Amino acid sequence: MCRAAWRHVRSKMQQLEKIGKEPAEIVICGRSLDVFLNDIERFHGFLAPGLVLGGFMVDWAQQLIGPGVEADAVVETCHCLPDAVQIFTPCTIGNGWLKVLDWDKFALTLYDKAKLHGYRIWLDLKKTFLFPRIYNWYMRSIPKKHLPLETLLEEILRAQRSVFSVRAVQVATMVGRKKKRNIGICSICGEAYSNFQGKPCISCQGKGYLSTM
Amino acid sequence: MCRAAWRHVRSKMQQLEKIGKEPAEIVICGRSLDVFLNDIERFHGFLAPGLVLGGFMVDWAQQLIGPGVEADAVVETCHCLPDAVQIFTPCTIGNGWLKVLDWDKFALTLYDKAKLHGYRIWLDLKKTFLFPRIYNWYMRSIPKKHLPLETLLEEILRAQRSVFSVRAVQVATMVGRKKKRNIGICSICGEAYSNFQGKPCISCQGKGYLSTM
């Protein structure tokens, strides 16, 4: 896995040199390009284009929010983007500082958790027309095999923030930290569960995701 | 943050020595106790008891699944447990190998992604009666201030797997990798989104989570 990442890094560095930009100039989320790409591959398992784009989005949002602000995050897709937030910010699914909306929108919001204002950044399709590989990748308009990762990544590294738009926003409290619900004990399986599911628990209502062997 | 983690580690090591168990004996998810606790704090932001318990659950599930099996994961709560899976397995929210069910059940399943069989492990309340701090923490039956982290962690480190139960399970395909849905362009905001939301997109239907400033 790591060797593959390093092959990509080397390849991209060569590509950057070709376009006259030294890779050492690129700092994303406080990391050099190689550390940035390595962190993505180590956590996500592979070097997904969505995470590289996501890293640039987080980087921009963090700069706008400014240092010293405790920020929560919302992402508007389950695919890739949640991991960019989890790698490059303190927000995770398990600590509740990241909320994931299953809308398939390539957008994220970082916001001051006290004041609820922040910045929404999204992949702006109008701007991707200048970067046809990014457009084709996101809209799945050509098969993956015709979009080699290296050339797509090269385009992302050229595009950086220029394919995104940003807007200052005020977040509704409903996406704030979810309170833990009342816990009861299921009369059938004897496990603790939250009462909002009714009685018995969802699994014992036959709406679970597995059967015993 | 790190200094706090190390204070906890040192404290726990002293506690383990008191109960006659060398901390060096404990290996969880292939890590020594100090690396295990440090990994939790680095990713999750703080040393949450649920993640320490979750680490022991993942460790057991991985042992049962065996080496060399590509395993996906399901967790049955949004709180803490998703991060244990994300730290100690290759499964994350963003790569789609981890599914999170918002049921408030302290349970996880690791399963062979090809054959869909695996193991569900859950916090077994009957077994926590022997470990009253764990019971009281999970059922929130006494205020947090009366449950100092150090004594709770000490009890978790004594309990290890003994507070869990396990069952071999067959997973329904419905929790398998979610296919990307058809992408369209919203006629109002011009952003890409998945058509399942109807037209226009959820945000432009007025069901978003923010207002512009």
Side-chain angles (χ1 to χ4, degrees):
Chain A
M1 202 69 85
C2 270
R3 274 177 299 177
W6 283 104
R7 274 201 304 277
H8 287 309
V9 170
R10 275 202 307 273
S11 149
K12 265 174 304 303
M13 286 181 168
Q14 287 158 1
Q15 285 155 3
L16 284 165
E17 279 157 19
K18 272 187 221 160
I19 59 170
K21 184 155 183 139
E22 286 295 319
E25 289 172 29
I26 299 182
V27 174
I28 319 139
C29 300
R31 293 152 169 86
S32 65
L33 179 62
D34 55 348
V35 172
F36 171 76
L37 296 173
N38 199 44
D39 283 352
I40 287 173
E41 194 166 35
R42 196 159 40 91
F43 183 71
H44 190 72
F46 52 97
L47 205 55
L51 264 90
V52 183
L53 283 165
F56 283 109
M57 294 164 82
V58 170
D59 184 60
W60 197 5
Q62 283 176 329
Q63 187 188 340
L64 290 167
I65 289 267
V69 174
E70 278 198 23
D72 275 4
V74 180
V75 296
E76 300 179 23
T77 174
C78 301
H79 300 289
C80 292
L81 214 41
D83 283 0
V85 171
Q86 294 190 112
I87 296 168
F88 302 119
T89 81
C91 307
T92 72
I93 288 287
N95 68 22
W97 305 339
L98 165 65
K99 292 284 175 300
V100 179
L101 303 172
D102 185 15
W103 293 354
D104 282 323
K105 285 194 147 195
F106 207 79
L108 62 82
T109 298
L110 282 196
Y111 64 95
D112 180 323
K113 71 170 83 191
K115 297 174 183 164
L116 297 179
H117 59 66
Y119 297 89
R120 178 176 186 264
I121 296 181
W122 68 99
L123 183 68
D124 193 330
L125 284 182
K126 293 189 301 293
K127 298 180 179 178
T128 64
F129 283 111
L130 292 171
F131 298 94
R133 289 190 185 98
I134 297 175
Y135 180 88
N136 288 331
W137 163 77
Y138 190 70
M139 296 304 288
R140 290 174 236 145
S141 43
I142 63 171
K144 266 191 178 175
K145 62 182 175 186
H146 297 307
L147 263 179
L149 184 62
E150 285 78 4
T151 53
L152 178 55
L153 284 176
E154 187 202 337
E155 197 162 275
I156 292 170
L157 292 172
R158 271 197 296 121
Q160 300 194 23
R161 295 179 183 177
S162 68
V163 285
F164 309 124
S165 285
V166 65
R167 187 169 289 157
V169 292
Q170 184 74 27
V171 171
T173 49
M174 70 94 182
V175 293
R177 181 93 177 96
K178 197 190 292 179
K179 289 271 178 204
K180 286 186 183 170
R181 293 173 285 219
N182 286 334
I183 292 289
I185 297 177
C186 175
S187 58
I188 296 182
C189 68
E191 291 181 33
Y193 76 114
S194 61
N195 295 337
F196 87 98
Q197 302 167 32
K199 292 180 184 178
C201 76
I202 283 184
S203 294
C204 293
Q205 287 172 32
K207 298 173 188 164
Y209 62 95
L210 42 77
S211 53
T212 51
M213 290 172 80
Chain B
M1 202 68 86
C2 271
R3 274 178 298 177
W6 283 105
R7 274 203 302 277
H8 287 308
V9 171
R10 275 203 305 274
S11 148
K12 264 174 305 302
M13 286 180 170
Q14 287 157 0
Q15 284 156 2
L16 284 164
E17 279 158 19
K18 273 188 218 159
I19 59 169
K21 185 155 183 143
E22 286 295 318
E25 289 171 28
I26 299 181
V27 175
I28 319 140
C29 300
R31 292 150 167 89
S32 65
L33 180 61
D34 56 348
V35 172
F36 170 77
L37 295 173
N38 200 44
D39 283 352
I40 288 173
E41 194 165 35
R42 196 159 40 92
F43 183 70
H44 189 73
F46 52 97
L47 204 55
L51 265 90
V52 183
L53 283 164
F56 283 109
M57 293 164 81
V58 169
D59 184 61
W60 197 4
Q62 283 176 327
Q63 188 188 341
L64 291 167
I65 289 266
V69 175
E70 278 199 24
D72 275 5
V74 181
V75 296
E76 301 179 23
T77 174
C78 301
H79 300 289
C80 293
L81 215 41
D83 283 0
V85 171
Q86 295 190 114
I87 297 167
F88 301 119
T89 80
C91 307
T92 72
I93 289 288
N95 67 20
W97 306 338
L98 165 66
K99 293 284 174 302
V100 179
L101 303 173
D102 185 14
W103 294 355
D104 283 324
K105 285 194 146 193
F106 207 79
L108 62 82
T109 298
L110 282 197
Y111 63 95
D112 180 323
K113 72 170 81 187
K115 297 176 181 161
L116 297 180
H117 59 65
Y119 297 89
R120 178 177 187 263
I121 296 181
W122 68 98
L123 184 68
D124 192 331
L125 284 183
K126 294 189 299 293
K127 297 180 179 178
T128 63
F129 282 112
L130 292 170
F131 298 94
R133 289 190 184 99
I134 298 176
Y135 181 88
N136 288 331
W137 163 77
Y138 190 69
M139 297 304 289
R140 290 174 235 144
S141 42
I142 63 173
K144 266 191 179 175
K145 62 182 176 185
H146 297 308
L147 263 179
L149 184 62
E150 285 78 2
T151 54
L152 178 55
L153 285 175
E154 186 203 336
E155 195 161 276
I156 292 171
L157 292 172
R158 270 197 297 121
Q160 300 192 24
R161 295 180 183 176
S162 68
V163 284
F164 308 125
S165 285
V166 65
R167 187 171 288 158
V169 292
Q170 184 73 28
V171 171
T173 50
M174 69 96 181
V175 293
R177 181 95 176 91
K178 198 189 290 179
K179 288 271 177 204
K180 286 185 183 171
R181 292 172 286 218
N182 286 334
I183 293 288
I185 296 177
C186 175
S187 59
I188 296 182
C189 66
E191 292 182 34
Y193 77 114
S194 60
N195 294 336
F196 87 97
Q197 300 167 31
K199 291 178 185 179
C201 75
I202 283 184
S203 294
C204 294
Q205 288 172 31
K207 298 173 187 165
Y209 61 95
L210 41 77
S211 53
T212 50
M213 290 172 77

